[in-house]
């Protein structure tokens, strides 16, 4: 889509139906995804994007800003160009909306570079795959679902199980220790979360290496649907032009799918499975396929995924699963037991867990931990019905080890220290493996379970 000739298109509003606006033009029509502007009576600019050509005279557009005050016969202008984002190092430490406007009340941005928010993914011949893991400092993730450098990881869970908390902790742990750039994309976020995150970044000292983009809950579905593309445009600039490694955090990818569903419904498309848009898979792929690594640099993505009613067969969750190299599944049951981070050790997985990538030692410890957790899960019904005393000596030891592992794999976070009163801990993978190995060997069977709860490395535990 190229509007090099910088043609001016002039039209008139013929229908307003919620966030959908029909506009008549004298042919030719502005191209698909072209940005259109309307000056409303109160001098506010209403922004629209071409979403469909209805006839040789009429386009159907989706509103990116509120349409209050819009009426038929108002003049519409377009230069045929798509929505663009500013790019450059000046963006670091700032917060933007989908139009590239600063929303942190700071000074004006000094950059002339603009890029279209739409881009095709790099061809397969230019992509690289590095079998390397990103150490997060979070014990249970590094052990059971290690993240791939240049890969995509998903944090799955229902409401209130800790997805956003883990995302903010990852920013604190990874951004503070890497030389690249962190990019946070908030899709359908609450304004409270955006404000808290901005303050936490400043306190953690990582704001100068971070760029934040938000399309909040109260914004039109069009803006929420496009903010992911805008964030990827900035990430691709730092990867391809600045040749840096980028950490891209998206919270929440379900809100992107939800915004697409709203747009689809407004456009009048027939709903598909469970009421989602028929184009769900395509729209998700347009975002996910742009997240990749090339010889210039990498984009490592961590995405929070809300799971409606904790139903992992929901199309939004199942389609997202297929794009990921690591899946961290959060469990409401574990959260209710106070086992934070509430990751389910038996359902979470990672493509990185092979001896060739994570080392034989890590692979064996991971296998043994999962085996103990699986055996403990099988024994829970017997314990509930007959009691722990009815188990054999071997099974009782398995339960004791599993319960100590559960507690050792909890961890105090830096981003929650003001709520819990516990200082956050970042634990090296080598220390996590050492702690699990010693617990599996039965070294801590004489220690009370609570002594292993919310600690860092195993050396903090005193053996009697």
């Amino acid at each position: 889509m190229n509007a090099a000739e910088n043609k001016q298109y002039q039209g008139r509003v013929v229908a307003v139906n919620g966030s959908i606006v029909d506009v008549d033009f004298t042919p030719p029509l502005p191209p698909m995804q072209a940005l259109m502007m309307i000056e409303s009576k109160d001098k506010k600019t209403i922004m629209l994007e071409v979403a469909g050509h209805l006839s040789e005279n009429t386009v159907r557009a989706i509103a990116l800003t509120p349409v209050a005050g819009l009426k038929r016969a108002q003049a519409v202008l377009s230069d045929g160009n798509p929505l663009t984002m500013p790019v450059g190092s000046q963006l670091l430490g700032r917060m933007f909306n989908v139009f590239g406007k600063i929303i942190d009340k700071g000074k004006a941005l000094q950059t002339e570079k603009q890029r279209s928010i739409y881009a095709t993914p790099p061809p397969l011949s230019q992509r690289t795959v590095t079998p390397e893991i990103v150490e997060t400092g979070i014990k249970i993730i590094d052990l059971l679902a290690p993240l791939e450098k240049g890969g995509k990881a998903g944090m799955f869970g229902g409401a209130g199980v800790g997805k956003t908390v883990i995302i903010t902790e990852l920013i604190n742990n990874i951004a503070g220790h890497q030389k690249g750039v962190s990019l946070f994309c908030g899709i359908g976020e609450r304004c409270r979360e955006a404000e808290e995150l901005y303050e936490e970044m400043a306190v953690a000292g990582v704001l100068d290496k971070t760029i934040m983009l938000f399309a909040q809950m109260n914004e039109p579905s069009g803006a929420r649907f496009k903010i992911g593309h805008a964030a990827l445009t900035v990430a691709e600039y730092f990867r391809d032009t600045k040749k840096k490694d980028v950490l891209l955090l998206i919270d929440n990818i379900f809100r992107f799918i939800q915004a697409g569903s709203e747009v689809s419904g407004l456009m009048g498309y027939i709903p598909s499975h469970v009421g989602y848009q028929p184009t769900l898979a395509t729209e998700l792929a347009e975002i996910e396929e742009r997240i990749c690594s090339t010889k210039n640099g990498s984009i490592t993505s961590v995405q929070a995924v809300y799971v409606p009613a904790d139903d992992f067969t929901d199309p939004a969750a199942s389609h997202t699963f297929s794009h990921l190299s690591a899946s961290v599944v959060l469990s409401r049951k574990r959260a209710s037991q106070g086992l934070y981070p509430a990751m389910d050790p038996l359902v979470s997985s990672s493509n990185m867990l092979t001896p060739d990538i994570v080392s034989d030692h890590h692979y064996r410890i991971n296998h043994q931990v999962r085996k103990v957790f699986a055996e403990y899960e099988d024994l829970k019904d017997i314990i509930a019905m007959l009691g722990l005393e009815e188990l054999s000596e071997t099974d009782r030891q398995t339960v004791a080890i599993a319960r100590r592992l559960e507690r050792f794999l909890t961890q105090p976070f830096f981003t929650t220290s003001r709520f819990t009163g516990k200082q956050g801990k970042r634990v090296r993978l080598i220390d996590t493996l050492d702690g699990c190995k010693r617990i599996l060997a039965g070294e801590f069977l004489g220690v009370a379970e609570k002594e292993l709860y919310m600690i860092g490395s195993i050396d903090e535990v005193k053996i009697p």
Side-chain angles (χ1 to χ4, degrees), residues 37-101:
M37 283 161 279
I38 303 171
E39 289 291 337
S40 66
K41 276 191 172 180
D42 55 0
K43 300 300 179 191
K44 286 188 178 174
T45 304
I46 296 171
M47 311 290 275
L48 311 170
E49 185 183 82
V50 178
H53 289 175
L54 297 185
S55 69
E56 59 183 24
N57 287 14
T58 310
V59 302
R60 179 157 285 174
I62 184 80
L64 303 179
T65 55
V67 293
L70 185 61
K71 61 183 182 181
R72 283 185 291 184
Q74 279 191 264
V76 181
L77 293 175
S78 174
D79 60 6
N81 288 314
L83 187 59
T84 59
M85 273 297 290
V87 291
S89 299
Q90 299 93 328
L91 275 65
L92 291 166
R94 308 305 299 273
M95 190 190 286
F96 300 88
N97 65 10
V98 72
F99 303 107
K101 299 282 191 330

Side-chain angles (χ1 to χ4, degrees), residues 291-304:
I291 303 170
C292 62
S293 299
T294 66
K295 61 182 183 298
N296 295 321
S298 68
I299 299 178
T300 303
S301 173
V302 182
Q303 307 166 13

